[in-house]
Amino acid sequence: MLELSDDLLQLEPGQIVYLSPLRSGPAAGTWAITVPLAPFSAADRFDPATFRPGTDGPEIIRTAIRGEFIDLPGNDLSALTNRTFGFPINPHAGYIDASIYLGGGHNPVDITRMEFGVAHSLNIDVVLHAAFDFSEEGVEIANRSAVLHANLQFEQLD
């Protein structure tokens, strides 16, 4: 079973989106994030035992942590600046619906804490406290927790 090392959990700049309450559907008035992992190599994208840092292939894995239905205040980054928010784990009310596609499965990610820094124009730094559950999908990766540092670009969808 693969131990998902910090070398494979390197983040690239991501995106934070506010979905206007004028939109239809359950996501209206909530936030969403997408945080890509830096690409890494595999001999077989469905066999985590072949995952390794670097991009020498033969296959390149590109994936991201995606979180939706995030209940945060405001509709722009100023409401998040220098604030910390805690969240329950799935399935408790108020959890962040997050996952990562890896090893052939959509694996749940419990994001239990978001620590925002100062907003700069249209981006903000955030520290994510996350727990990855690979066992639910039967992916041969050990479950693990991580504290991840990401930079997110802001977008508002009307």
Side-chain angles (χ1 to χ4, degrees):
M1 180 170 297
L2 174 72
E3 298 285 334
L4 191 65
S5 69
D6 291 345
D7 291 340
L8 297 177
L9 275 179
Q10 297 297 310
L11 303 182
E12 293 191 327
Q15 182 179 43
I16 185 166
V17 177
Y18 177 71
L19 301 160
S20 168
L22 301 176
R23 296 176 63 90
S24 61
T30 67
W31 293 78
I33 60 170
T34 301
V35 186
L37 269 59
F40 56 89
S41 292
D44 178 346
R45 72 178 48 253
F46 300 108
D47 182 1
T50 70
F51 293 0
R52 64 187 182 289
T55 55
D56 58 340
E59 294 195 45
I60 307 299
I61 306 296
R62 289 180 172 79
T63 190
I65 300 165
R66 298 184 193 284
E68 299 178 312
F69 308 109
I70 305 171
D71 185 18
L72 294 169
N75 61 2
D76 62 28
L77 297 182
S78 66
L80 307 178
T81 294
N82 288 326
R83 294 192 60 193
T84 297
F85 302 93
F87 301 92
I89 61 171
N90 186 350
H92 301 285
Y95 76 94
I96 295 175
D97 187 5
S99 66
I100 185 169
Y101 184 78
L102 200 56
H106 288 280
N107 305 284
V109 179
D110 282 315
I111 298 173
T112 57
R113 186 173 172 95
M114 298 177 80
E115 302 168 7
F116 289 95
V118 176
H120 299 282
S121 184
L122 293 177
N123 64 57
I124 193 165
D125 289 327
V126 65
V127 177
L128 304 171
H129 295 252
F132 296 83
D133 181 355
F134 297 103
S135 61
E136 184 173 309
E137 291 292 315
V139 174
E140 291 294 315
I141 301 173
N143 293 347
R144 69 160 292 181
S145 295
V147 177
L148 305 168
H149 298 260
N151 181 269
L152 304 176
Q153 181 77 29
F154 175 68
E155 183 177 343
Q156 181 166 342
L157 298 179
D158 294 321

